[in-house]
Amino acid sequence: GAGVSQSPRYKVTKRGQDVALRCDPISGHVSLYWYRQALGQGPEFLTYFNYEAQQDKSGLPNDRFSAERPEGSISTLTIQRTEQRDSAMYRCASSLEYLAGNSDTQYFGPGTRLTVL
Amino acid sequence: AQKITQTQPGMFVQEKEAVTLDCTYDTSDQSYGLFWYKQPSSGEMIFLIYQGSYDEQNATEGRYSLNFQKARKSANLVISASQLGDSAMYFCAMREVNDYKLSFGAGTTVTVRA
């Protein structure tokens, strides 16, 4: 079946503009996660959804970052008034259900490479 | 505090040889999961193998195996019979009990030489 998809794959924007990054999880996956990955580093957690409920947004750096998953499927990560320090790879992952236990595997999308000029 | 430590930033391995990637972790939980992911130059993040803290046997998945030493808190990945396509960055990650997020290490870059 299809994996996690993300769009756009690349986004170049000017400082101060808003951007919206989209994630389409694997069909049937209840849990959805957003991570941010700096070059040469491992991904860092941003936020987590269980169905449409945003259960944890503790990793969002500041209030310019927000995310939603209104129908429990597709999710959008929005960054308002972008800054150069926001440049990174933004990755979405989905899993069947985290309550299934530690073995609940997260499958990652290809990521959106964001560059803020 | 860093939860996952990968001390080898880069490694070279000859084709057809085995390579071991080190990973140590830090947790006070008794129940946790350990994962390895591969990130080739194309940028995808590919799940390779999982080890549960209560699993008595080391996990294996094709050419990948996990050398799990619970007392030492290490979960090293072994890739046997390396292939050119194994050249990539490899990340170790942990998920603690009652948590959902993965904590990742800094990664190890593997380059397979013909």
Side-chain angles (χ1 to χ4, degrees), chain A residues 19-115:
Chain A
V19 294
L21 312 181
R22 174 187 164 124
C23 171
D24 199 344
I26 294 172
S27 178
H29 278 195
V30 166
S31 299
L32 185 145
Y33 317 78
W34 283 97
Y35 291 83
R36 180 167 69 174
Q37 186 177 13
L39 206 59
Q41 298 295 318
E44 291 187 345
F45 171 78
L46 293 176
T47 187
Y48 159 70
F49 289 86
N50 187 42
Y51 293 98
E52 71 281 358
Q54 189 173 20
Q55 301 280 3
D56 185 352
K57 53 182 181 179
S58 64
L60 296 177
N62 50 61
D63 59 9
R64 294 186 297 105
F65 288 73
S66 63
E68 62 174 9
R69 192 186 185 197
E71 296 178 1
S73 180
I74 293 168
S75 176
T76 304
L77 177 69
T78 302
I79 309 172
Q80 295 180 313
R81 305 180 302 282
T82 52
E83 301 178 4
Q84 287 186 329
R85 59 178 172 156
D86 299 334
S87 296
M89 175 75 85
Y90 289 83
R91 293 194 183 273
C92 173
S94 71
S95 69
L96 274 171
E97 169 65 79
Y98 102 89
L99 290 173
N102 290 330
S103 62
D104 184 46
T105 299
Q106 296 182 23
Y107 295 91
F108 284 80
T112 295
R113 170 71 66 188
L114 175 66
T115 302

